[in-house]
Each structure stands twice: as C-alpha cells, then as structure tokens.
Amino acid sequence: MTDWRPSAKREALEARAVLLGQLRDFFEHRGVLEVETPLLCSAGVTDAAIEPFVLGLADGRRYLQTSPEYPMKRLLAAGSGDIYQICKAFRAGELGRQHNPEFTILEWYRLHTNHYQLIREVAELISVVLARKGWQIWPWQTLFKTVFDIDGLSATSGELRALAKSRLDHVPKDLDHQGLLDLLFTHCVEPVIADWGVVFVVDYPASQAALARVMVDRPIPVAARFECYVDGIELANGYWECVDSRELERRFEADNDQRRALGIETRPLDSALLAAVGSGMPECAGVALGVDRLLALQLGLASISDAISFDWQAS
Amino acid sequence: MANFSTNEFKPGLKVMLDGDPCSILENEYVKPGKGQAFNRVKLRNLKSGRVWERTFKSGDSLEGADVMDVELEYSYTDGEFFHFMDPVSFEQHAASSDAVGETQKWLKEQEKYEVTLYNGAPITVTPPNFIELEITETDPGLKGDTAQGGSKPATLSTGAVVRVPLFISQGEVIRVDTRSGEYVSRASKS
C-alpha cells in the first residue's frame, strides 16, 4: 500500500509552527521587514557545486531558486532597508540526513553591518530558539591549525592531499585544491567541532569567498564569510557582502570557467543582480539559515526528514 | 552492466569496486556550507565479506555488479565443491569452499539457502536463520542440574558443535540460531 503518511510527527509540526512564530517575532522586534521574492527566477546561480531544478517553459527557462539571495540583494539596492525572508529553496540532488532537495531557508540582511556584528545576531537568535547561551568564534586558519597542525591557508594541493591520505582510509583521486579543503573540513574538522556546541567559523580562504568580500588587509587575504555550526551541524552561512559589481562578475565568470573544466553546463549571469549591485548597493551583511535543521536541533531529531511534513520520499 | 551514480546508491545495490562485487550498506551525503559534496559509503565486499568505507565525490558513479540472490537447495558435496539445486528449474550450481565459508557447518541436505551468484557462479551461501539438526554426539545429562541452567557441548549431524541444556540427549533434533550458533529449543514434532 502506498505510504501516504507524513514524515514528521504531530509534535514536530506543532514545534515548527511555534518556531516560525518565534522567528517572525525576533525580526519584528528588531524592525526588520519581512519580504517575499519569486521562487521561479529567470537566472540561476553560477556556483558549480549547486544544481538548481530547471523548468523549460514555452517562453524560456526558469530556475527554482537555490536561495533568495539575488532578489533580496536587488531589494536592498532599491532601498528596502533591513529585510528578512522565510521561504522554500531547492537544490537538486542534495539528499541526506541533513539535506532535502526542497527545504526552508531563513535569510536576512542588515545594513551597515559586518560579518562579526551579524554573528552576534545569529547567536542571539540561537539563544532564543535553541536556548543555547555559549558560543565560540574560530578563525578558519586557527581551527585548521588546531585540528591538523598545518597552515591551511598557505598549504599546497600536494600537502593537502598528503594530509588527507594520512587522515582518511580513502581519498577520491580527482579532487582539486578546493575539493581537498572540503574533504578535510567535512570529514575531519566537523566531527571535532561536533562536541563544541555553537561554533562560528570565520574568515575562510579567499578561494571560498562565494559572495563575501575578501579582506585584503590580512597577511594572507581571507573571505569575510562565516559558517555557524551547532553540535557539528552546519546551520547558517553568512557574508559581509561584496558590493563591487565588477568583482562579482569576475567571480561568476570564474564559476563558469570551473563549470567548463568540470564539463558541466555554464549558467547565464544574473544581469539584474549585477546591475542592481552596480547601481550602488548599501554596505551590508547577510546570512542564510536552514530552518529544517534548526527545528531538528531544537527537537533533537537525527534527520531533517522528521522535521518536514512530507520529506523528499513522501512528497 | 549499467552505471550507478552516488545519488542512486541505496542499501542492497550491488556495484563493482576495485574489481570485486560489493553490496551497498549505507550512503551518507555530506556537504560543507559551500563547495564540494561527498557521499560517504559503506559497502560489503561480497567476496571477502569485509566492510569497506569509501568517500566519493557526489555524482561519481560505479559500474553495477552482475549479482543475484537466489534460493537454492543443498544437494551434496563431492569433497571439493558443494552442489546446490534450483528447486524450480532443477539447475545445478557448484559452490567452492571459499564461497560456502562458515556456512559449511550448517549445510543440511534438502534445506534451502540464500546463494549469491556473481556472473552466474556462487560467491556466498547464507544459511536460514534457524535450522533443525540432529545431535550425533553428546554426554548423557545429569539430572537435577537443569535449575542452574547448566549446559554441555553437543555435536550436530553437520559437524557443528553447540552448547545445549543438560536434559537434551543424543539422537534428538534441536533448533539452532545459525547467526549466533546458539541452541533455541527442541525441534517441533512434525
């Protein structure tokens, strides 16, 4: 018989409703405006590691958003002020205990704020909804050095590969420099910080900046980006935003170069986003947080499937 | 055989890895906030029985293995090979002692076994969870010791040795759990 039942229990659905209310209260009290942006967008992200669902329509392609980042930035450029959004986002093929191809995201932007100030606000939100007070902040380089006793920012690909081989039984052959960093981080660092509670990892290698600005005043430039981990679960990713449209365009082109190297389809650049940023986007910091994971952490659920009414298998 | 991508790796899927057929046990998707996604996969090597842990880049693929699980009846051994028969088609399959492995001590004629065929040849033979076998040798039990739950070794018709309660005697048929090698009960009278 077809299993028609929800993947989440009634208690999880109730907790979810309460959580959504808490999140909205949190931002209302802080004067942050709730917004909605389109789920079906005419441009997708160029990031080679993110695969959108694509719809071929009679009047062209549409992409189900992988995050609301680009239209929210266009609102910021248009003078919206501080904004937040709670919405669905979609990423093809991302399925596991902490992933569902359709998931709920909370994303917000604060004007005239850098990533360190935004971390404080994320920590406050976590203290409200998870009742977790303590948190630590770890520069990526220090964390890497603590776990591996190697300077991850200056290490060569050969050194990273040797390190991975010494730590793991098996290393996929065709990993590039970024892939090796990702392998080491997910397989060796995340298990270590799983015991540290709420951890913010900051100042990533410049090559992993995504859309964060790169702080060039450091001995080795680093990205003004942070990741928030709770009990080893990656909960939120934030940037002190890069507001230089030419720099963003360079990064999108570099993403497409990487796509070509990997033999995957290139993506058209989001010209509306580039034009909006170019028109004078305000200085700001923004962060995206996984709401399903937040709920799973709150309820102590092993998989986000238990926090979603109908998970990928059931939907 | 077809190729299977990491997102198709489900428990039970049979794939080729390093030249050996393997059965996927677990597939965990891991991805940092930004960047390369991986699948951490646990596989059982069907030849050696060993469990392997491998990390794949998401989207990588493995060739499927021509592996089939079939239920066959054990017929006899010629000393070198163990012969099984498909009870429906009467097709014969000869399994080596490597393929039979530990199951050898639970081989009983006309009993059904799950046999894994790789490229048509048996590579593993799994006994039923419970099997009824005759005791060919055991010391006479001492009366009165049953309250203490005492036990003694008993040799079964297949050569396996299991511990049985003291009140069980030679010639009786008992039910054994092949997974633990433990006595369960006297066999039900048929």
Side-chain angles (χ1 to χ4, degrees):
Chain A
M1 211 177 79
T2 307
D3 190 2
W4 55 270
R5 288 179 179 77
S7 48
K9 294 201 174 95
R10 164 89 194 178
E11 302 85 82
L13 299 180
E14 284 171 11
R16 191 176 187 99
V18 172
L19 174 62
L20 292 173
Q22 278 180 314
L23 296 176
R24 291 199 159 95
D25 284 349
F26 183 87
F27 290 107
E28 195 187 336
H29 284 127
R30 288 159 187 252
V32 182
L33 178 71
E34 179 167 13
V35 296
E36 284 186 344
T37 56
L39 298 183
L40 281 170
C41 303
S42 52
V45 290
T46 48
D47 187 330
I50 296 180
E51 197 50 44
F53 291 96
V54 186
L55 279 81
L57 303 176
D59 61 346
R61 277 185 160 195
R62 291 275 161 161
Y63 301 86
L64 272 170
Q65 70 166 7
T66 52
S67 92
E69 181 168 7
Y70 295 2
M72 288 183 82
K73 285 182 175 168
R74 284 162 65 190
L75 289 177
L76 292 163
S80 65
D82 297 331
I83 50 174
Y84 81 96
Q85 172 159 212
I86 298 170
C87 60
K88 287 292 185 75
F90 306 83
R91 294 181 189 184
E94 300 199 359
L95 182 61
R97 274 187 302 147
Q98 300 299 334
H99 293 83
N100 198 62
E102 174 176 348
F103 60 103
T104 302
I105 211 166
L106 161 65
E107 184 149 329
W108 77 96
Y109 292 86
R110 295 294 234 153
L111 298 190
H112 316 300
T113 296
N114 64 28
H115 61 310
Y116 297 113
Q117 291 163 306
L118 189 58
I119 282 173
R120 193 160 285 284
E121 188 157 60
V122 175
E124 284 161 7
L125 184 136
I126 287 172
S127 79
V128 171
V129 300
L130 293 182
R132 306 275 283 254
K133 296 284 177 232
W135 51 279
Q136 344 180 3
I137 190 158
W138 281 80
W140 186 95
Q141 187 182 25
T142 313
L143 181 58
F144 202 89
K145 177 111 185 148
T146 302
V147 175
F148 299 115
D149 201 25
I150 277 182
D151 178 17
L153 289 184
S154 61
T156 63
S157 303
E159 286 165 343
L160 293 178
R161 176 162 289 279
L163 174 62
K165 284 193 168 156
S166 74
R167 292 299 186 107
L168 300 167
D169 292 341
H170 172 74
V171 178
K173 273 185 218 71
D174 51 347
L175 283 181
D176 60 11
H177 193 87
Q178 294 312 315
L180 288 164
L181 288 176
D182 290 336
L183 178 77
L184 287 164
F185 208 88
T186 51
H187 285 62
C188 303
V189 178
E190 287 182 7
V192 170
I193 62 177
D195 296 330
W196 296 0
V198 181
V199 177
F200 291 90
V201 183
V202 298
D203 302 349
Y204 275 70
S207 58
Q208 299 187 334
L211 301 197
R213 72 181 59 200
V214 172
M215 298 186 291
V216 290
D217 55 340
R218 304 295 182 88
I220 301 177
V222 289
R225 176 183 153 204
F226 70 87
E227 289 275 359
C228 171
Y229 286 87
V230 177
D231 302 338
I233 305 291
E234 191 249 340
L235 184 63
N237 172 45
Y239 309 136
W240 184 14
E241 301 290 348
C242 170
V243 292
D244 174 347
S245 65
R246 271 168 306 181
E247 169 63 17
L248 283 183
E249 193 168 348
R250 268 195 296 278
R251 292 190 198 173
F252 293 159
E253 296 286 8
D255 285 345
N256 270 336
D257 287 344
Q258 198 193 348
R259 285 178 162 269
R260 271 184 283 270
L262 292 168
I264 56 176
E265 199 186 346
T266 58
R267 300 277 176 216
L269 306 195
D270 190 329
S271 52
L273 171 75
L274 291 171
V277 175
S279 78
M281 172 138 151
E283 294 272 328
C284 63
V287 58
L289 182 151
V291 174
D292 309 302
R293 291 186 191 169
L294 184 64
L295 181 60
L297 281 165
Q298 192 189 61
L299 301 179
L301 306 173
S303 167
I304 62 166
S305 286
D306 304 330
I308 297 172
S309 63
F310 295 99
D311 69 0
W312 189 246
Q313 267 77 28
S315 68
Chain B
M1 287 299 280
N3 278 314
F4 295 95
S5 161
T6 49
N7 60 15
E8 298 171 283
F9 288 6
K10 304 258 153 52
L13 181 74
K14 312 291 196 295
V15 291
M16 295 300 296
L17 184 61
D18 295 350
D20 281 349
C22 296
S23 176
I24 287 175
L25 302 174
E26 273 176 48
N27 176 18
E28 197 192 354
Y29 180 82
V30 283
K31 192 179 188 203
K34 289 275 168 192
Q36 178 70 53
F38 300 97
N39 287 70
R40 227 173 355 209
V41 182
K42 270 192 188 152
L43 314 95
R44 183 184 303 283
N45 181 319
L46 293 174
K47 278 188 164 168
S48 67
R50 287 252 257 314
V51 173
W52 283 349
E53 232 186 289
R54 285 292 175 95
T55 297
F56 297 92
K57 276 166 56 180
S58 290
D60 280 357
S61 59
L62 289 175
E63 191 194 344
D66 178 14
V67 169
M68 219 172 31
D69 291 327
V70 288
E71 198 170 65
L72 301 180
E73 230 173 69
Y74 174 61
S75 305
Y76 67 99
T77 176
D78 59 18
E80 190 185 357
F81 286 98
F82 298 82
H83 297 270
F84 291 82
M85 185 184 71
D86 187 315
V88 179
S89 68
F90 302 114
E91 197 185 336
Q92 303 283 324
H93 295 275
S96 67
S97 55
D98 272 357
V100 174
E102 287 283 290
T103 302
Q104 194 173 329
K105 66 179 182 195
W106 306 118
L107 284 183
K108 180 184 160 191
E109 284 150 31
Q110 272 85 59
E111 187 69 55
K112 288 196 178 73
Y113 295 81
E114 189 179 86
V115 178
T116 303
L117 302 177
Y118 168 52
N119 292 334
I123 47 163
T124 54
V125 176
T126 312
N129 290 343
F130 299 100
I131 191 165
E132 294 186 355
L133 293 167
E134 189 190 333
I135 296 177
T136 53
E137 203 189 324
T138 191
D139 289 336
L142 297 167
K143 285 209 170 107
D145 282 5
T146 52
Q148 275 74 45
S151 70
K152 59 181 180 177
T155 307
L156 307 178
S157 56
T158 58
V161 178
V162 299
R163 297 206 65 88
V164 298
L166 299 177
F167 59 82
I168 297 289
S169 46
Q170 200 164 306
E172 281 193 85
V173 177
I174 60 163
R175 190 173 166 78
V176 182
D177 187 329
T178 59
R179 294 161 296 185
S180 59
E182 279 169 7
Y183 164 90
V184 178
S185 65
R186 279 183 167 131
S188 48
K189 297 250 165 47
S190 50

